[in-house]
Amino acid sequence: MPPPAVPTAATGPRAPAAQWPDTSTDPAPRPAAAERTLDHAPPTRRFLARAALITASLSVAAALLGLVRDQSLARLFGAGRDTDAFLVAWTVPEFAATLLIEDGLAFALVPAFSRALARRAEGAPGDPVRALVAGTLPRLVLAFTAVGGLLGLAAPPFVAALAPGLPDTGLAVDCTRLTATCVLSFGLAGYCSAALRAHRHFLAPAAIYVAYNLGIITAMYTLGGRWGVRAAAFGVAAGGLLMVVVQLPPLMRQLCRRRTDGPAPRAVAEDRAMDVPLMATVLLFALCRQSQVLIERFLASGLPAGAISHLNYAQKVAQIPMTLSMMLCTVTFPVVARALAEGDTERARARVERDLAVAAALVLLGAAAVMACAPQLIGLLFQRGAFTAGDTAATAEVMRVYALGLLGQTLTGVLVRSYFSAGRATWYPVGAMAAGIVATSCIGAWAVGTWGVTGIAAGNAAGITVTAVLLLAGMRTRSVPIRTPRVLHELSRPVRAALIATVTGACVARMPATPLAGLLAGGATVTVVFVLLGWVLGAQGCAAVPRSALALTRKLAHVLLR
């Protein structure tokens, strides 16, 4: 089960790395020396704390809007053939977000802009930043436009290949042609985000998924009665444009902040936008992981109408615990990379082992709650309008199976960051992910005939677990040398606590008459049982989570209120 490409219960997407907020409003032009000092000045603790709060707040806002978006889709269009057709077209922005905003383009352009800013601060002739933009942006825009246009023209064979059993291919083709525009808009949004992050400005990049979801929600409610589910596809196109619009003003201020003192040099070799081998391995890993969506929709397209929708809604809700647990690794990834760069493998090992323990505890607690309270959770979130009680039961069943793979999802996310933290190409994660894709395909194809959508979800959970096991097995010789036996022994403790908490919480959740009361009772039971058992078993992650949260709260309060 790949991570959501858009904030879903958010996000969709993974959260941007914590940095410092915008400080781009200057009352008067600075002299060159002062500007060079600003470009090189290290961020203060206060700036970092404020940036972390701003980024977290916008990530939560995007997640909530992603949930509202999914609820609106369910309410307006249900879980039938029309929604299935739209979700096939939604594959395009899911892939585009992963490749152009979250991973590939960011890994390539942030270092390139950082080098250009360093040369500008050193007094290089002309303006290396503008030279980099002039040397890369036109070519990338041409490439994005060509790929988006080709996808629009090839929409019929694309839909036929992706979902051959889809009953209404015409509607899916129309939606795909609308969502194909996001190749250009997401590419430009990713370029702007990388440039702003290199300039130490993260407010606008963190807000792009808020704008994106607002565009989709607005389009569905204003145009849904006239255009049907095509309104959601139009919303994707409009939301992609809004992602660019919110970033253009701060980016233009940065690019125009310093006049060149001579003719701008042409982009030279050191302005290259990417390390090609590293970029290839990162993109291939991301493509392999995201291809699980293609496999799911391909297998589900031959099932009765609504199967793809049930998979989508179940996946979006089930991934909430994984998204929250991965926010820790977003912050600690630079710590591991810095330790490896300094040759301190012991510090890197300790950090990765702690991340694995804490992230596993968080995701297992969430997975236990999801499995125990699945019907109540889905009913409360989606059962209204065109989304029926039958849709709730089918989606809850699929979500419980998806949740079995959440630990594998989280371990994969933590471990793959360790493989790439040294900043060099490595093909082992790609091979591990490819093995997981093979397992997903084979198990899903074998199980779909007997168990339908739950068989597809089981293949997904099994495949990502295979990937996690392979990544863990290869860490000692190919990445940070963690103590694998000790890590496995530590992980077994919260797993045992989660199993007992799930059974207990499910029994309690069925007692109340209303979904809300059942969700509250079941969730509270799961939390209490999991925390107590984790403490009794001595699980490091269960003990570290409250301590870390309390310590972070104290630090932020001290920095912000002093």
Side-chain angles (χ1 to χ4, degrees), residues 19-326:
Q19 296 285 344
W20 40 94
D22 286 77
T23 57
S24 56
T25 54
D26 297 325
R30 293 182 177 88
E35 185 176 299
R36 288 195 291 271
T37 301
L38 178 64
D39 286 338
H40 276 301
T44 64
R45 287 192 307 163
R46 184 179 179 86
F47 268 35
L48 289 173
R50 289 177 59 198
L53 287 177
I54 290 172
T55 301
S57 300
L58 288 172
S59 297
V60 170
L64 292 175
L65 284 172
L67 181 59
V68 172
R69 178 202 65 212
D70 292 339
Q71 289 177 320
S72 302
L73 185 68
R75 180 174 184 172
L76 294 173
F77 309 113
R81 56 192 296 170
D82 287 359
T83 309
D84 288 353
F86 167 70
L87 291 174
V88 169
W90 206 358
T91 305
V92 178
E94 285 178 328
F95 266 80
T98 299
L99 298 179
L100 302 179
I101 298 176
E102 297 164 15
D103 291 334
L105 206 60
F107 281 123
L109 289 176
V110 170
F113 273 103
S114 298
R115 290 193 299 269
L117 284 166
R119 288 197 301 278
R120 170 200 273 183
E122 292 166 359
D127 190 337
V129 176
R130 296 182 188 177
L132 176 62
V133 173
T136 57
L137 185 57
R139 298 175 185 177
L140 288 173
V141 168
L142 183 61
F144 297 149
T145 303
V147 172
L150 181 62
L151 182 59
L153 292 175
F158 172 81
V159 170
L162 182 59
L166 200 67
D168 192 350
T169 57
L171 179 58
V173 167
D174 290 345
C175 291
T176 300
R177 284 175 171 153
L178 287 168
T179 59
T181 60
C182 74
V183 176
L184 175 60
S185 60
F186 279 31
L188 290 174
Y191 192 96
C192 294
S193 296
L196 285 170
R197 289 169 185 171
H199 281 84
R200 302 180 180 180
H201 294 269
F202 266 68
L203 179 61
I208 60 175
Y209 285 111
V210 173
Y212 175 69
N213 282 323
L214 284 174
I216 299 175
I217 294 168
T218 302
M220 283 194 293
Y221 278 105
T222 57
L223 301 174
R226 189 187 319 166
W227 291 2
V229 80
R230 290 179 179 85
F234 178 81
V236 170
L241 181 60
L242 290 175
M243 295 168 84
V244 180
V245 170
V246 298
Q247 296 184 99
L248 276 180
L251 179 59
M252 293 305 297
R253 285 198 298 269
Q254 291 305 308
L255 294 179
C256 297
R257 192 182 70 182
R258 178 179 184 266
R259 296 287 183 182
T260 58
D261 50 12
R266 292 177 300 172
V268 292
E270 52 265 35
D271 282 334
R272 288 176 300 180
M274 63 187 68
D275 178 336
V276 175
L278 174 62
M279 193 67 201
T281 55
V282 169
L283 286 179
L284 283 175
F285 179 86
L287 283 171
C288 285
R289 191 168 185 182
Q290 196 69 19
S291 66
Q292 288 185 304
V293 174
L294 302 182
I295 295 169
E296 288 182 358
R297 290 175 183 170
F298 178 86
L299 294 174
S301 65
L303 297 176
I308 295 177
S309 300
H310 296 149
L311 285 167
N312 174 74
Y313 295 129
Q315 183 187 101
K316 298 298 173 60
V317 178
Q319 283 185 340
I320 297 174
M322 186 268 293
T323 302
L324 295 177
S325 67
M326 290 304 299

